[in-house]
Amino acid sequence: MPAAARAVRAFVAAHGREPTLLVRSPARVNLIGEHTDYNDGLCLPVAIDRELCIALRRTDDVAAGADPAAGAHLRLVSEQDPTPAVIELPPPPADTPPSARATGWTRYVQGVAVQLAASGQLAASGQPAGADLVPWQGALASDIPLGAGLSSSAALELAVAVACTHLAGSVPAPTELARLAQRAENAWVGAATGLLDQLACVGGIAGHALRIDCRTLTVTPVPLPAGLAVVVIDTGSRRELVTSAYADRRAECERAARALGVPALRDLDALPADAASRLDPVALRRARFVIAENARVDAVAEALTRGDAEAAGRLLLAGHRGIRDDFEVSGPELDAAVAAAYAAPGCFGARMTGGGFAGCAVALVDRARLEAFTETFEPAYFARTGREAVLHVCSAVAGTSVTVLPDE
Ligand code: ADP
Ligand code: MG
């Protein structure tokens, strides 16, 4: 059963009546341009047809049987977690110490409510912060694997943000919503991520990848060739400690930019001739990767636009070598998946995708040869790793959306 139907069913089971709204929020996969967002650089994500859905209904509608004595809450159940997320309204202030914040997945929901209240994104002015947040109850169902690098967290944040803004009657620009969701994840949840995830999730366009300039936040649609499948390979591997490695890479990139005298690595088209004498070996490798990766984003966008999947695939392979050898955030399962994919029929190229070490790889595959690709890839990957990979053959879809459900 699709996630949307499961969300509606779960809503009825949990709340004993029909939902009135359905919010759908896609996963995303990044084709190229990894670890470039916090270097003010370029990336090329695709919003994909694996989605997180929330069926919901406002609870302050007394005529419809709301119980005012029940108080003002956002209350959300998830099929992925037995503990419901319950957020009291108005939400706590944005400077609430971490020890007084919610835990687990509730923190993502609370973070969005907190940032909405703090930002004045909602309609009315002159009211206490958070007064415009409409209480609602919802049920969540999702086909996005958690913690696999397909950004289930951004899908969740954007779904909650769109639910809240829709009920409040406000329609913020997609970039504003993305920034707000990012603040929820960075400042409230405490995960240091760039804006790529949220922009890709909210800004998705059917049939297109999105070239994102992370400095100007300009989003340019890049058409995907009709015969090309984007195959996400979940390697089945997961890693802890990704957060500290992410912080390390960020610091190393900042150190490299400082030593090279630029605000961000984005500002360099090539390594200066004397880079090796100005940078320590680690910073040199990080800078070399980021500079080449930014150039690859434009090269892949151009190749896809002219329908040249072979050229795009070669650039993905080059990107994988760079992130493995210079940026050093690949992992054994990711390397095995890329090698097995590229050796399989119909594959133009592949690379790891997401933060690194584990999780997913992405391959560009000829749609006409998908069956042969899968039949060859699966045993080859198993032979290399002893693990079963899960393949998601994906299409590019629209970003987070809200639909009014027909009256029961
Ligand atoms: P990723 O974004 O790569 O999937 P993250 O660690 O950034 O991984 O985010 C995963 C977290 O997002 C989960 O641990 C959970 O807290 C929250 N989350 C995402 N989807 C759901 C869901 N369907 N139900 C409950 N929580 C979810
Ligand atoms: Mg995430």
Side-chain angles (χ1 to χ4, degrees):
M1 197 190 284
R6 298 204 311 276
V8 170
R9 195 182 57 174
F11 184 97
V12 175
H15 305 299
R17 52 185 186 160
E18 297 288 328
T20 56
L21 293 174
L22 180 70
V23 182
R24 303 169 59 166
S25 204
R28 66 97 187 92
V29 64
N30 193 22
L31 293 183
I32 190 86
E34 213 66 73
H35 286 273
T36 47
D37 55 354
Y38 55 82
N39 289 296
D40 271 5
L42 307 175
C43 53
L44 192 70
V46 185
I48 54 172
D49 55 342
R50 294 297 179 281
E51 58 182 3
L52 177 152
C53 297
I54 299 179
L56 70 133
R57 174 169 193 143
R58 65 191 302 160
T59 50
D60 61 346
D61 191 352
V62 179
D67 174 7
H73 298 102
L74 306 186
R75 184 185 169 86
L76 190 56
V77 295
S78 168
E79 62 184 7
Q80 251 93 5
D81 197 307
T83 310
V86 182
I87 316 300
E88 274 193 55
L89 299 183
D95 59 1
T96 302
S99 59
R101 300 177 192 175
T103 55
W105 75 289
T106 304
R107 200 183 238 200
Y108 292 83
V109 182
Q110 190 184 45
V112 171
V114 165
Q115 297 301 339
L116 275 169
S119 73
Q121 288 285 342
L122 300 172
S125 55
Q127 295 204 40
D132 294 326
L133 272 168
V134 173
W136 52 270
Q137 54 190 196
L140 188 161
S142 172
D143 290 329
I144 310 174
L146 270 55
L150 300 183
S151 210
S152 68
S153 59
L156 174 59
E157 292 147 18
L158 267 309
V160 172
V162 166
C164 291
T165 52
H166 181 90
L167 287 176
S170 86
V171 188
T175 313
E176 286 310 306
L177 280 172
R179 281 183 195 270
L180 186 135
Q182 187 200 17
R183 281 200 299 280
E185 185 144 355
N186 289 175
W188 190 262
V189 175
T193 58
L195 194 56
L196 182 163
D197 296 352
Q198 290 83 7
L199 267 181
C201 177
V202 76
I205 300 177
H208 291 71
L210 306 171
R211 176 196 183 274
I212 298 178
D213 182 325
C214 297
R215 173 168 281 169
T216 62
L217 303 188
T218 321
V219 180
T220 314
V222 174
L224 292 171
L228 188 68
V230 173
V231 179
V232 175
I233 303 167
D234 188 340
T235 64
S237 59
R238 301 287 184 270
R239 289 284 182 284
E240 304 297 323
L241 297 175
V242 172
T243 315
S244 62
Y246 182 92
D248 289 347
R249 292 302 177 279
R250 247 185 126 122
E252 290 155 5
C253 289
E254 279 162 21
R255 187 165 88 225
R258 245 191 335 270
L260 295 172
V262 288
L265 288 175
R266 153 66 183 275
D267 295 296
L268 295 168
D269 292 328
L271 270 178
D274 60 351
S277 63
R278 291 160 72 182
L279 297 177
D280 60 274
V282 169
L284 180 67
R285 289 201 296 279
R286 307 301 187 246
R288 186 162 61 209
F289 169 75
V290 172
I291 293 166
E293 186 78 348
N294 280 325
R296 277 190 289 267
V297 170
D298 276 330
V300 171
E302 281 162 27
L304 292 172
T305 302
R306 61 172 194 270
D308 189 347
E310 307 246 347
R314 279 195 299 276
L315 287 156
L316 261 62
L317 291 168
H320 187 75
R321 285 193 294 274
I323 207 160
R324 183 191 63 197
D325 301 337
D326 280 340
F327 216 68
E328 298 174 279
V329 297
S330 190
E333 294 88 356
L334 294 169
D335 291 342
V338 168
Y342 189 53
C347 183
F348 298 110
R351 56 180 284 279
M352 58 148 273
T353 185
F357 303 109
C360 291
V362 61
L364 297 180
V365 181
D366 182 355
R367 274 198 183 271
R369 303 175 74 191
L370 269 175
E371 209 171 312
F373 171 81
T374 307
E375 277 168 13
T376 311
F377 172 82
E378 285 178 341
Y381 176 74
F382 185 80
R384 286 169 190 263
T385 62
R387 287 176 187 270
E388 308 270 1
V390 177
L391 298 187
H392 303 273
V393 178
C394 296
S395 303
V397 297
T400 309
S401 66
V402 56
T403 322
V404 178
L405 296 170
D407 275 346
E408 64 263 37

